[in-house]
Amino acid sequence: MTDGPAEPSGERDGIDPVTLEILRNQLESVATEMGHVLIRGAYSPNIKERQDCSTALFDADGRMVAQAEHIPVHLGAMPDAVDVVLGKEPKPGDVFVVNDPFAGGTHLPDITLVSTIAPDDEVIGFAVSRAHHADVGGSAPGSMPPGAREIYEEGLRLPAVRLVDGGEPNEGVHDLIRANVRTPDEREADLRAQRAANARAETRVGELLDEHGSALIDAFDAVIGYSRERVESEIEALPDGTYRARDVLEGDGVTDDDVPIEVAVAVDGASIDVDFAGTADQVAGNLNAPLSVAKSAVYFVVRAITDPDIPPNHGCYEPVSLSAPEGSVLNPEPPAAVVGGNVETSQRVMDVTLAAVAAAVPDSVPAGGQGTMNNLIIGDRSGEFTYYETIGGGFGARPDKDGMDGVQVGMTNTLNTPAEAMEIEYPLRVERYALRPSSGGDGRHRGGLGLERTVAVETDAAVSLLTERRRTAPAGLDGGEDGATGENLVDGEPVPAKASVDIEAGTTVSIRTPGGGGHGHPEERDPTARERDRRDGKTNGR
C-alpha cells in the first residue's frame, strides 16, 4: 500500500523515535533468536530441517509484542494460548504446555510452550514457542488420521498445565506425554529445544531490562500502538464496502461432499469486520477448525494487503474483528475432530478472504495459489519412525509478475525435507522430486508450477494423506486460466485427497501438487516469456 517503511515520528509513551526503533528491533531480534535456538536444538527433521515451528514474545497482559516471521497459522493463534495461561496464575519459573484446540491450541501435533519472563522475579511477559511434533499418539502414526470423527482419535490432548513449576520440572507431565506418543525420545528432545528457546528469551529480555530499565516496559505499549496506527492508516486507504466470496473444501475425510465456506469482509473507515455467516456446520470428519485458526488466516490476509514493513504484533490485529457461527466448521464444538482444520481449512479461509478483498485491492492480490499443504505422513505402527511433510506447489500469478514455482503458499512457509536427510533418518528413498510442467495456469502472467515428489517406502508402513485442490482448481484472476489440480498416487494408482492406506515394503507414494492460477488474458503474455518457459521445460509446448 505504501512506498516503503515509515519510521516512528514524534515521542510515544515517553520514548523518542530513535530509542523506540532500537527497542523494536531488539525485541524482534529476541523472537528471531528464539527460533534459531529451537531449530538448532531440535531432534526431529520436521523441526530442524523443515522448520515447522514459530516463536514470539508477549507482554504481561498477553499481547504479542514481537514475533519471528515463521508459520502464519501458528502466529495468529498464539495469543489464545497465552490467554488460557493467564487464567492459571502464572508465576516466575513456570513453563506451561498446551495443545488443546478448544483451549488455546490449534491441532494436537502443534505443542505450545508458554514460559514466564521474570528476570527480577516479577513476571513482565511471556516467551512462546509452538512446534509441530511428528507424533502425539492417536489412531495413526503422525497423529493426523484422515477419517477421524472425534478429537480423541487424533492424539494426546493437553490443557494448559505446568511442564515446569516454579523452576522444577513436573515429571508427572513428562511421563504422561512419553507414555502416549509413538516416538517418546524424539518428543522429549524437541520439547527440550522449545524450553531452551524460551529460556533464551528470558535471558535476552533480562539484558534489555538492564540496558533500558523501565523504558523497555513502556516500549511494549509504544510498539503495539505504532503498529496499530500504521495498520489503521492502511485500512483507511481501502474503499469502504462489503466484499463477499465463497469457496469449498473437497470433503471432510468421512464423505466427499463439498463443504462451503462463505465470507463477508466489511471495510469501514479504519476497521475491518470479517463474518463467516453462511459457512457450513461443523462436519463429521477432521476439517473442523477452531476459531483461532480462522483468526490466523484472516490476520494473514490483512498483513498481505497492508505494508509488510509494519512491525508484526498485537497492534496489527486490533482493528480487525472476526465472527463465525458457533457449531460451524470454523467454530466447532468439542469433541469435533480438528487436525485437518489447521492445515487445510486454514488455507481455504485464506483463499476465500483474499478473493473477497480482491475487489477492494485488485492490484495487490494474486490469483489462486495451490490452496493446500499436501500433508503426507508415513510411519510404522510400532513407533520406530514417523515422517511428516507438507509439500510446496504453485503460487498464484501476481498482477505484475509470474507466480513462484514449487513453494509453500499461504498459511505455511516451511522448508522441505532434503532428500539426503529423509534417506538418512527414515526407511524412505526419494525417487523423483521435480516441477510439474504446465501445471501453472496460463495468463498474461503465468501461475507457479506444482511439484511431484515420489517416495519409495522400504518397510511396511501406514500412509496418511490430507490434501485439497484435487478436484477444485486454484482459480485464475482477471481472465487468467486456472492452475492444475493435484493428484495422489500409491504404486501409480490414484487415491483420494484424504486417505489412510497400509502399504507393504517397496510401495511408492507420489504427490503431484497443484499449480497456481494465471493472471490476465493468456493472449497478452509476452512472447519472450512464453519462449523462455518452453526453453526451461516449464510448459509442454503451449
Side-chain angles (χ1 to χ4, degrees), residues 185-208:
D185 291 342
E186 186 175 272
R187 299 288 65 72
E188 188 76 30
D190 287 346
L191 286 170
R192 282 200 303 269
Q194 287 184 254
R195 285 177 57 188
N198 290 13
R200 179 66 60 86
E202 183 170 42
T203 298
R204 293 290 184 250
V205 171
E207 292 169 354
L208 293 179

Side-chain angles (χ1 to χ4, degrees), residues 37 86 102 117 123 132 194 196 209 225-226 271 300 306 369 413 465 483 503:
V37 171
L86 284 171
F102 300 104
I117 297 176
V123 176
H132 185 115
Q194 287 184 254
L209 193 61
Y226 171 65
S271 66
F300 174 84
T306 56
N413 58 0
L465 292 160
I503 61 172

Side-chain angles (χ1 to χ4, degrees), residues 433-454:
Y433 193 29
L435 296 174
R436 293 179 67 194
S438 296
S439 53
D442 201 0
R444 180 174 62 252
H445 299 292
R446 172 184 58 78
L449 303 184
L451 292 170
E452 178 176 350
R453 188 158 198 164
T454 297

Side-chain angles (χ1 to χ4, degrees), residues 264-277:
V265 179
V267 180
D268 184 8
S271 66
I272 291 178
D273 178 71
V274 181
D275 186 359
F276 289 98

